[in-house]
Amino acid sequence: MDERRRIALLYGGKSGEHEVSLQSATSILRNIDLDRNSVVLIGIEKSGMWRLQSDDWIERVRTSDVTVTIDSDRPRVFAIPAAGLHVDDGTHIPVDAVFPVLHGTFGEDGTVQGYLECGDLAYVGAGVAGSSIGFDKALSKSLWMQAGLPCVPFVSYEVPPNGPTGNWLTEIEEQTRLAFGPTAIFVKPARGGSSVGVTRAESSAELADAVRHAARFDSKLVIEPEIKAREVECSVTGNSSPQAWAIGEIVPRHGFYDYRAKYIDEDGAALIVPAQLDHEVSITIRETAVRAYRAVDCHGLARVDLFLDDGAGEIMLNEINTIPGFTRISMFPVLCRELGLSYPELIDAVIDLAIEQKARIDSLEYEYPAEGSE
Ligand SMILES: Nc1ncnc2c1ncn2[C@@H]1O[C@H](COP(=O)(O)OP(=O)(O)O)[C@@H](O)[C@H]1O
Ligand SMILES: [Mg+2]
């Protein structure tokens, strides 16, 4: 009998980061310990449709440098409330845990997490609340401020239903200047990733353009003053007692760490691991990362991104990513490996955490005892 854990790798997704997910999934498939785990592949098309993929991918990905894709003529898959994953002919797909390696919308934002939760499935990463708060730059920063954690100041606006137009834009500019003065400004979609829709603006014309641009990607915006500081990132894993791993630094070569620097221009940014930091500073960053993780109710794993102003000796939280880029050479796994946790061990560790978290949820009571029965 196959005693291995059966893991559903859920990848692709209805997200601008669909292709990034294919890379992460390929890397997991190539490196997961197949003595401990067996894998079933479920690809989510850009339309949002779930499809069971052929097991042949496992051999192909592990013996060549091919990237996994999604075959759309395969059977559909869905989760049935309280009954797990099924193929559309009714066949049950028994799994011990789902690994949603989905970046961005409909994957990292709590929607898929809620769906899996209804299906009574264990899954890797943050739950519904942690995912949706972590994905929303305004909500996460609000909770960090409430927890007394240092973070980038911001204002947030809901874009009117008729779009970002005349009076509303003028008002936004006035309020932004009132809040932050005549400094350069960053405008971003509140819920996005991969720097999509993020623009730096100086003049009022640039600010209006930046707001209009961000509003194409989300109905809620976050506006911040430019922080002139080093960009550092810290991996955190765990459920009730999270642990911070090493700290890395991003050094963008031109301007800021935009989409181009992340995925197109190979020399767009240098990733330095470990970041060169004073011992005291690195302790503060790691402690802050763990507190930030807890404050937004994270479980499993997350990468916490911060700014570090060496001169002022100040750190500020920027954002948290609950399903960070997860290829073998992505920052998250590299920071874990730096402190001794290899990539295959990390994959096993986050699956263990998923199963632990599910057992915790299952141990809770969901009914009041009938009167007089206790
Ligand atoms: N307030 C800011 N000051 C300076 N640079 C910023 C600021 N906000 C974002 N950036 C730059 O833009 C990049 C992308 O912004 P970020 O908030 O991390 O969004 P995303 O979720 O798309 O990664 C950051 O990595 C950083 O280089
Ligand atoms: Mg970022």
Side-chain angles (χ1 to χ4, degrees):
M1 205 183 92
D2 191 349
E3 304 228 312
R4 298 177 299 169
R5 307 184 293 197
R6 198 160 152 83
I7 307 304
L9 191 59
L10 193 59
Y11 67 98
K14 188 176 169 179
S15 159
E17 293 171 271
H18 182 100
E19 279 73 23
V20 186
S21 164
L22 301 185
Q23 298 295 338
S24 294
T26 299
S27 207
I28 292 172
L29 202 53
R30 193 167 282 146
N31 291 281
I32 191 169
D33 179 355
L34 290 183
D35 290 335
R36 279 200 76 193
N37 309 283
S38 67
V39 180
V40 49
L41 282 173
I42 301 170
I44 305 183
E45 295 177 275
K46 283 185 178 166
S47 66
M49 195 79 79
W50 293 29
R51 304 235 179 232
L52 182 65
Q53 299 297 301
S54 163
D55 289 343
D56 295 348
W57 275 115
I58 303 171
E59 182 68 17
R60 283 180 66 196
V61 162
R62 289 172 81 95
T63 54
S64 72
D65 61 4
V66 68
T67 298
V68 75
T69 55
I70 297 168
D71 300 327
S72 56
D73 54 356
R74 299 281 307 169
R76 289 170 59 177
V77 175
F78 46 88
I80 293 185
L85 296 172
H86 287 71
V87 186
D88 58 6
D89 67 3
T91 317
H92 181 219
I93 311 173
V95 295
D96 295 294
V98 177
F99 194 150
V101 54
L102 301 166
H103 310 300
T105 46
F106 301 103
E108 195 171 349
D109 59 2
T111 52
V112 161
Q113 287 72 15
Y115 186 58
L116 296 173
E117 201 89 43
C118 288
D120 198 27
L121 291 150
Y123 57 92
V124 169
V128 174
S131 300
S132 41
I133 296 166
F135 194 60
D136 184 319
K137 291 179 168 70
L139 288 180
S140 47
K141 284 207 211 16
S142 301
L143 286 187
W144 289 334
M145 284 175 175
Q146 204 196 340
L149 295 170
C151 71
V152 177
F154 75 101
V155 287
S156 174
Y157 299 98
E158 196 70 38
V159 181
N162 59 340
T165 49
N167 285 346
W168 184 77
L169 279 175
T170 315
E171 212 176 292
I172 297 298
E173 191 191 352
E174 276 170 18
Q175 290 178 17
T176 301
R177 292 299 170 203
L178 199 64
F180 308 128
T183 174
I185 299 292
F186 271 79
V187 183
K188 6 180 145 167
R191 297 154 294 202
S194 289
S195 301
V196 173
V198 179
T199 318
R200 178 182 182 277
E202 284 186 13
S203 65
S204 36
E206 281 175 358
L207 184 56
D209 281 347
V211 168
R212 276 191 288 262
H213 182 62
R216 287 170 47 198
F217 303 97
D218 197 358
S219 57
K220 183 176 169 188
L221 310 181
V222 164
I223 302 183
E224 304 171 357
E226 177 178 38
I227 306 298
K228 290 202 177 92
R230 294 167 72 186
E231 273 191 81
V232 290
E233 306 190 337
C234 185
S235 294
V236 180
T237 58
N239 289 335
S240 52
S241 18
Q243 168 184 2
W245 298 87
I247 300 162
E249 179 167 6
I250 307 283
V251 186
R253 298 246 191 264
H254 329 277
F256 68 98
Y257 195 31
D258 60 6
Y259 187 87
R260 217 186 140 67
K262 284 180 182 174
Y263 304 115
I264 298 170
D265 179 359
E266 268 185 28
D267 301 317
L271 273 52
I272 301 168
V273 177
Q276 296 304 302
L277 301 167
D278 287 347
H279 183 60
E280 293 300 312
V281 173
S282 80
I283 290 176
T284 310
I285 291 174
R286 294 174 74 217
E287 280 175 2
T288 305
V290 168
R291 290 176 63 199
Y293 185 93
R294 282 181 186 280
V296 298
D297 203 10
C298 260
H299 295 93
L301 72 154
R303 199 191 69 224
V304 179
D305 298 351
L306 313 91
F307 291 109
L308 164 67
D309 183 339
D310 272 334
E314 202 184 350
I315 58 168
M316 279 185 203
L317 288 160
N318 177 33
E319 62 155 344
I320 186 162
N321 293 281
T322 52
I323 311 185
F326 208 86
T327 71
R328 198 175 56 82
I329 56 164
S330 301
M331 188 62 110
F332 187 94
V334 168
L335 294 176
C336 296
R337 187 166 65 227
E338 179 65 21
L339 291 189
L341 186 69
S342 73
Y343 185 56
E345 285 168 344
L346 168 64
I347 295 168
D348 272 338
V350 293
I351 294 169
D352 289 343
L353 288 165
I355 292 168
E356 177 190 283
Q357 183 65 8
K358 177 72 166 67
R360 172 91 183 90
I361 289 168
D362 286 347
S363 73
L364 301 173
E365 293 184 25
Y366 295 93
E367 263 180 71
Y368 275 129
E371 206 148 329
S373 69
E374 266 192 15

